[in-house]
Amino acid sequence: MRYSIMLQLVTGITLVLVGAAALFGWIQNRPNPTPEARKTGLISCP
């Protein structure tokens, strides 16, 4: 019984950390729109 709880806890923590890392990587690699693109609503990829 305790092994099952420990396994669920480790799995949950691992999923949270992997999800946070994926979100952080996505935020870091978003294209940065130019000020002109912000005005017109167009986003240019470098």
Side-chain angles (χ1 to χ4, degrees), residues 3-40:
Y3 178 75
S4 175
I5 294 171
M6 183 183 65
L7 190 60
Q8 289 177 355
L9 187 62
V10 169
T11 303
I13 292 171
T14 302
L15 288 175
V16 167
L17 291 176
V18 168
L23 181 64
F24 182 75
W26 175 74
I27 289 172
Q28 289 294 315
N29 290 323
R30 283 189 304 175
N32 191 8
T34 60
E36 294 83 16
R38 288 188 194 127
K39 292 177 187 174
T40 59

